[in-house]
Amino acid sequence: MSMNVALSDYKEGKLQKSTLYKIPESMTVPFEEIHANGKEVVNLNYQLQESQYGIYANEYKNPCINKQGCKKADVLACVVDDKRKEIKSLVFDVKSNISSFSDDLTKESAALTAIKEIRDFIEQIHAALLHKKSFMLYYLDDGFREQEEVAIATKNFECEKFLAVADFLESIFKDSPRELPALVKLKMQTILKPYMGEIEKIRNFADKMLIINEKAYPLIVIILEKNSESVYSATVTINI
């Protein structure tokens, strides 16, 4: 039994969040995230061949899921090949600079900031994959094969800083060469104890890998380059 997924017509500048749009031909679809001090832009360059069309959505979620407390990723982009019955999907979120926390992990809640940023990002991607599956199952039931990709768009991605966070989190709960005053160590233990279970996630993240429901997803890192004092951008090719 074949059922068509309802897709809205793409009209630049008139897009609504959580709506699946059909990209009928090769074109560039811009995603913008605006902040008080500037904006980040990811240009999605759809390169479509015969018998192919694209899908684009901003902050897509399953319509049956309550908005309250619902996590979403910024972008869902797909290419559907009707002839070969193949789909390539990409979900990603923009994090202005996920490596911006202090090198001194004992100060300014640096370690806690990094841990929460990584944890929240993984939860957003996990939710985005579930939302995508809510309509993708109709393609799969019709015999399509899907290739899934996940990514982060950010100005900077420093693997060694994330590894340092994992090492720090591990070291403060055991005797180690790290020289920390007793009161500082006790304070950090109190703050970070609830996050001991995040160590493996952080190490995987540093290795550009997400483990979600025991499935490994290589993490694509999209680096946003500076265009002006207030604008950073990147271009991502969407094809199959």
Side-chain angles (χ1 to χ4, degrees), residues 60-71:
Y60 181 75
K61 77 170 188 69
N62 185 331
C64 72
I65 299 299
N66 197 317
K67 289 183 180 180
Q68 186 175 2
C70 175
K71 291 186 179 293

Side-chain angles (χ1 to χ4, degrees), residues 121-134:
F121 170 75
I122 295 171
E123 289 179 354
Q124 281 181 287
I125 296 298
H126 187 179
L129 292 172
L130 290 175
H131 297 317
K132 176 176 61 69
K133 288 181 194 317
S134 69

